């Protein structure tokens, strides 16, 4: 129920026929843009801070524009940018992006796509992606050591400059090759345009990075590409036929946009690139060696659209597997228990949970207990006023349970910070006077930050971490904190030393402390938390083993280094406050 920000959503289309083919067959010059618009709207869940599009026309005369870009900020950015599209922007290559910032940086400057201009068509590069790089400091140092001076410090812009530099070298290689063949003038340009090897560019660029990414791009000469990180952290799906090639962050987007079946669509594999040449020929190429698969499990639990066939079934299993723990929490009294869910993203897990009880022969009582009623308006600046308003963001269905007789089970897809539970949910649920509230999470306890594209960067934001530190303080275990702090500073890359903080405590002990910390004053109903187990997560989502949020097992050295640094920063800030 606490919205997490996720970077980002991508969409690409390559029209393989002449543009007038689509106008004759589909009745509009804007066929490609219409499809791109639908793909982006279907991925609006992945980014509402900004959006951008780009197009490349292959046949424009020299001296006329052939590469176009539009960007806008805000939740209505998609509508705004497509309202600016004109027929002169029509092209065979189309690309779109939806942005959520995971860095806190805002403004049109940081909205994708990024564009690097040059008078040579082949040296023009437009780039967007769903990514977060953990080693941007090292990449920045690599660029500056070569004499470059990037104007903006950020992984998107630095990636553009690094890849642009490699693209320049590729074009210069082809120039020398063309000259050696005796070509002159425009024949050299045509030779370059027809022979660019984007695989060379991608290998020389992506070998420098540690992180999770799907990187997409267009060149002015008509190359299109998308490359996935070697660990498969971030997702990408594609489709090819004789009219189009299309790629998106989620499978159902392609199914709906192009009326396809599940089996028609392929997933881009770890370290693999989909490359479409100027000629329209396409192929898959292994850019980086595939590493141990670490596809993000949070995509399955929360971020991706639940309309995906596999995700729908996985979320149902996540809910179903929780029934034994819930049954224990309500002392087996299903008859006097009402089941519900919040927010809407938890609805599928709710169906799985209730199905699980029915499969065991229970006749469960289900109600729509909680409603999201209003949005918090940022123009209210005073904390007390904001907190009072936040407490009324949600509302309840009065009379949905029998006061003091019924238990209330509410399932959520994740419990991250706990702020909404403390400020709103628990308070309004208590108005119904349930005998007991059982708050259920279809994901395990979130204990560690993410550094691969989801806005969860700081340890102290997590209620599980705060509860653990509170237990350490209660029991006087400061030597453990000191040992972990020193280990994080001494050896930040080999192991995640923060994991040691959780080892002395059971999940149940941490749950009890979370309840104690989140429980509002004067609340009457007792509260119990039930979390998904790690084993249950992997059983429900067997093909997405990336679980670093829950276990602290980061797939890359950069993630491990950053979590150790996060703990050092946390302790240093505490020491600074106490000076």
């Amino acid at each position: 129920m606490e919205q997490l920000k996720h970077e980002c959503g991508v969409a690409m289309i390559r029209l393989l026929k002449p543009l007038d083919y689509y106008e004759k067959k589909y009745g509009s010059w804007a066929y490609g843009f219409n499809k791109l618009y639908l793909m982006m709207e279907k991925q609006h869940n992945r980014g509402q801070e900004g959006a951008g599009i780009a197009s490349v026309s292959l046949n424009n005369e020299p001296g006329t524009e052939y590469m176009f870009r539009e960007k806008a900020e805000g939740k209505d950015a998609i509508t705004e940018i497509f309202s600016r599209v004109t027929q002169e922007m029509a092209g065979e290559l189309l690309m779109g992006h939806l942005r959520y910032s995971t860095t806190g940086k805002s403004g049109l400057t940081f909205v994708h796509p990024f564009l690097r201009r040059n008078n040579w068509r082949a040296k023009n590069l437009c780039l967007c992606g769903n990514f977060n790089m953990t080693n941007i400091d090292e990449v920045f140092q690599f660029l500056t050591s070569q004499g470059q001076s990037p104007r903006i410090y950020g992984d998107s812009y630095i990636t553009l400059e690094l890849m642009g530099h490699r693209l320049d070298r590729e074009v210069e290689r082809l120039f020398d090759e063309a000259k050696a063949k005796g070509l002159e003038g425009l024949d050299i340009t045509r030779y370059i345009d027809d022979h660019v090897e984007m695989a060379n560019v991608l290998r020389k660029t992506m070998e420098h990075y540690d992180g999770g990414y799907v990187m997409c791009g267009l060149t002015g000469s008509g190359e299109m590409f998308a490359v996935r990180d070697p660990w498969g952290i971030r997702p990408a799906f594609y489709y090819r036929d004789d009219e189009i090639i299309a790629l998106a962050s989620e499978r159902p987007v392609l199914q709906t946009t192009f009326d396809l079946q599940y089996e028609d669509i392929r997933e881009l594999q770890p370290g693999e690139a989909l490359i479409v040449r100027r000629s329209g020929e396409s192929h898959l190429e292994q850019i980086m060696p595939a590493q141990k698969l670490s596809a993000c499990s949070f995509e399955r639990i929360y971020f991706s659209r639940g309309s995906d066939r596999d995700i729908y079934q996985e979320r149902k299993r996540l809910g179903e597997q929780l029934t034994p723990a819930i049954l224990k929490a309500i002392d087996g009294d299903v008859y006097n228990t009402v089941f519900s869910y919040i927010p809407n993203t938890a609805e599928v897990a709710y169906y799985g949970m209730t199905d699980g009880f029915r499969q065991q022969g229970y006749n469960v009582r289900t109600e729509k207990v909680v409603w999201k009623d209003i949005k918090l308006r940022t123009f209210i600046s005073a904390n007390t006023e904001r907190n009072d308003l936040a407490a009324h963001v949600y509302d309840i269905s009065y009379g949905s349970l029998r006061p003091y007789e019924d238990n209330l089970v509410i399932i959520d897809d994740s419990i991250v910070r706990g702020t909404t539970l403390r400020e709103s949910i628990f308070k309004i649920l208590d108005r119904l006077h349930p005998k007991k509230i059982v708050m259920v999470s279809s994901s395990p306890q979130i204990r560690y930050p993410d550094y691969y594209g989801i806005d969860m960067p700081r340890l102290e934001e997590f209620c599980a971490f705060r509860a653990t530190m509170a237990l350490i303080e209660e029991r006087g275990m400061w030597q453990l904190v000191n040992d972990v702090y020193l280990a994080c500073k001494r050896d930040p890359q080999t192991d995640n030393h923060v994991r040691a903080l959780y080892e002395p405590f059971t999940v149940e002990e941490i749950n009890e402390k979370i309840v104690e910390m989140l429980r509002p004053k004067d609340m009457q109903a007792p509260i119990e938390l039930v979390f998904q187990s790690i084993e249950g997560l992997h059983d429900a989502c067997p093909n997405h083993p990336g679980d670093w949020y829950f276990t602290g097992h980061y797939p890359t050295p950069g993630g491990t280094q950053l979590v150790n640094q996060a703990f050092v920063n946390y302790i240093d800030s505490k020491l600074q406050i106490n000076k």
Side-chain angles (χ1 to χ4, degrees):
M1 69 195 66
E2 297 156 303
Q3 186 183 41
L4 298 175
K5 295 179 180 180
H6 181 213
E7 187 176 14
C8 298
V10 297
M12 304 186 81
I13 297 175
R14 174 61 156 89
L15 302 177
L16 299 175
K17 304 285 188 183
L19 293 180
D20 60 0
Y21 169 90
Y22 303 93
E23 186 168 5
K24 291 175 182 176
K25 182 171 181 178
Y26 299 106
S28 172
W29 65 266
Y31 169 80
F33 280 118
N34 290 338
K35 292 299 186 182
L36 186 67
Y37 171 79
L38 185 56
M39 290 173 72
M40 292 176 70
E41 281 289 5
K42 290 293 180 182
Q43 295 182 101
H44 213 159
N45 57 299
R46 303 185 74 88
Q48 297 183 30
E49 291 186 2
I53 60 173
S55 66
V56 174
S57 176
L58 297 178
N59 301 307
N60 288 22
E61 293 295 323
T64 62
E65 185 59 271
Y66 54 88
M67 199 168 193
F68 302 89
R69 178 184 61 167
E70 290 288 342
K71 302 195 296 183
E73 290 186 273
K75 61 182 179 63
D76 298 320
I78 299 175
T79 302
E80 182 178 341
I81 56 179
F82 278 94
S83 70
R84 301 182 203 149
V85 169
T86 61
Q87 190 165 357
E88 69 171 3
M89 296 170 61
E92 292 84 355
L93 287 74
L94 304 171
M95 182 168 72
H97 184 265
L98 296 131
R99 181 177 191 262
Y100 260 142
S101 169
T102 61
T103 63
K105 295 177 180 178
S106 60
L108 207 57
T109 302
F110 297 99
V111 176
H112 302 208
F114 288 81
L115 182 58
R116 192 174 190 261
R117 287 291 198 178
N118 194 283
N119 275 354
W120 288 78
R121 287 183 65 127
K123 287 187 175 182
N124 284 267
L125 177 64
C126 196
L127 203 63
C128 76
N130 171 15
F131 63 89
N132 207 49
M133 306 305 187
T134 66
N135 66 330
I136 198 63
D137 290 344
E138 289 87 341
V139 179
F140 181 81
Q141 290 168 9
F142 171 76
L143 280 176
T144 55
S145 69
Q146 293 187 321
Q148 295 193 56
S149 183
R151 293 182 298 108
I152 300 173
Y153 186 88
D155 52 6
S156 301
Y157 186 79
I158 289 174
T159 302
L160 177 74
E161 290 303 316
L162 178 57
M163 192 175 294
H165 172 69
R166 297 315 316 177
L167 182 60
D168 289 347
R169 300 290 82 80
E170 173 68 10
V171 171
E172 289 157 11
R173 178 186 73 82
L174 292 170
F175 179 87
D176 293 340
E177 198 172 278
K179 292 287 285 186
K181 292 178 179 291
L183 300 179
E184 298 289 343
L186 287 175
D187 289 336
I188 293 179
T189 300
R190 295 189 188 101
Y191 183 85
I192 292 171
D193 288 352
D194 290 339
H195 291 84
V196 172
E197 291 290 345
M198 281 308 302
N200 293 343
V201 177
L202 294 174
R203 286 194 181 96
K204 290 292 186 180
T205 302
M206 304 320 297
E207 67 183 3
H208 295 283
Y209 281 111
D210 179 300
Y213 56 82
V214 172
M215 195 74 64
C216 303
L218 312 174
T219 72
S221 59
E223 304 293 312
M224 183 176 99
F225 63 87
V227 58
R228 190 180 185 191
D229 68 80
W231 301 270
I233 295 171
R234 301 266 72 88
F237 299 86
Y238 65 93
Y239 169 74
R240 297 187 281 195
D241 64 21
D242 63 342
E243 289 188 357
I244 61 154
I245 299 171
L247 179 137
S249 294
E250 300 186 25
R251 188 195 310 266
V253 172
L254 296 173
Q255 288 184 255
T256 300
T257 302
F258 298 101
D259 193 19
L260 303 173
Q261 298 301 309
Y262 177 95
E263 294 75 17
D264 297 330
I265 298 164
R266 298 289 178 265
E267 184 172 4
L268 200 61
Q269 296 302 302
E272 190 175 61
L274 171 65
I275 298 175
V276 188
R277 308 208 57 161
R278 174 183 173 83
S279 64
E281 296 175 2
S282 63
H283 68 283
L284 298 168
E285 189 146 350
Q286 197 70 33
I287 299 301
M288 300 289 290
Q291 303 298 316
K292 182 180 179 182
L293 180 65
S294 299
C296 174
S297 57
F298 226 92
E299 286 276 353
R300 320 300 283 184
I301 298 168
Y302 180 83
F303 286 112
S304 293
R305 292 168 64 88
S307 56
D308 182 275
R309 185 187 77 177
D310 293 342
I311 292 175
Y312 185 81
Q313 295 301 325
E314 289 167 11
R315 290 182 181 176
K316 285 194 72 174
R317 284 198 295 274
L318 286 168
E320 181 182 341
Q321 288 170 350
L322 288 162
T323 54
I326 296 170
L327 197 60
K328 180 180 178 182
I330 60 175
D331 296 324
D333 189 7
V334 178
Y335 176 78
N336 292 307
T337 300
V338 171
F339 295 84
S340 193
Y341 64 91
I342 182 173
N344 289 340
T345 49
E347 185 176 5
V348 179
Y350 163 77
Y351 291 137
M353 174 185 68
T354 53
D355 284 352
F357 277 105
R358 293 187 181 104
Q359 289 166 15
Q360 298 179 52
Y362 293 105
N363 183 22
V364 294
R365 295 164 55 201
T366 61
E367 300 286 352
K368 177 70 171 176
V369 174
V370 183
W371 303 78
K372 192 162 188 179
D373 204 28
I374 59 173
K375 291 185 177 181
L376 181 63
R377 301 298 180 184
T378 56
F379 60 79
I380 295 181
S381 57
N383 287 337
T384 53
E385 294 179 55
R386 285 177 62 86
N387 289 341
D388 181 65
L389 184 57
H392 295 85
V393 169
Y394 293 90
D395 210 340
I396 50 173
S397 299
Y398 291 96
S400 55
L401 57 81
R402 295 172 299 187
Y404 307 108
E405 295 182 34
D406 290 332
N407 301 307
L408 177 58
V409 173
I410 300 280
I411 190 168
D412 193 353
D413 40 43
S414 59
I415 299 172
V416 186
R417 302 175 181 92
T419 307
T420 308
L421 290 177
R422 183 184 64 244
E423 299 296 335
S424 180
I425 299 298
F426 285 155
K427 290 179 180 179
I428 63 168
L429 292 181
D430 200 44
R431 297 176 193 168
L432 295 172
H433 305 297
K435 185 169 65 176
K436 182 180 186 180
I437 296 171
V438 180
M439 195 73 211
V440 182
S441 171
S442 65
S443 71
Q445 287 179 353
I446 297 173
R447 298 179 170 189
Y448 306 94
D450 179 66
Y451 301 107
Y452 305 116
I454 296 173
D455 185 22
M456 295 192 292
R458 295 189 303 157
L459 282 163
E460 57 266 36
E461 292 188 353
F462 307 120
C463 57
F465 176 80
R466 298 197 307 271
T468 301
M469 293 304 294
L471 288 170
I472 288 172
E473 182 175 5
E474 281 181 5
R475 301 182 189 184
M477 301 168 65
W478 291 113
Q479 187 60 48
L480 173 61
V481 175
N482 187 61
D483 291 345
V484 170
Y485 176 79
L486 293 176
C488 289
K489 297 192 73 171
R490 181 177 60 250
D491 177 27
Q493 292 184 311
T494 306
D495 294 304
N496 175 3
H497 304 292
V498 182
R499 297 181 72 244
L501 297 171
Y502 294 97
E503 290 174 2
F505 311 109
T506 65
V507 170
E508 290 72 24
E509 285 178 302
I510 296 173
N511 283 354
E512 289 174 5
K513 181 54 67 174
I514 292 173
V515 169
E516 182 182 320
M517 295 170 66
L518 299 184
R519 183 184 179 86
K521 293 181 180 179
D522 303 323
M523 185 172 178
Q524 295 181 354
I527 304 170
E528 184 168 341
L529 295 181
V530 171
F531 282 91
Q532 180 68 255
S533 66
I534 299 296
E535 296 76 18
L537 170 69
H538 290 311
D539 184 65
C541 308
N543 298 319
H544 290 75
D547 62 2
W548 55 92
Y549 318 93
F550 317 114
T551 65
H553 294 305
Y554 288 87
T556 77
T560 300
Q561 182 173 356
L562 288 176
V563 71
N564 286 324
Q565 185 60 50
F567 186 68
V568 171
N569 294 344
Y570 169 75
I571 295 299
D572 286 349
S573 67
K574 289 289 187 183
L575 293 174
Q576 188 69 31
I577 291 171
N578 293 329
K579 277 185 178 180

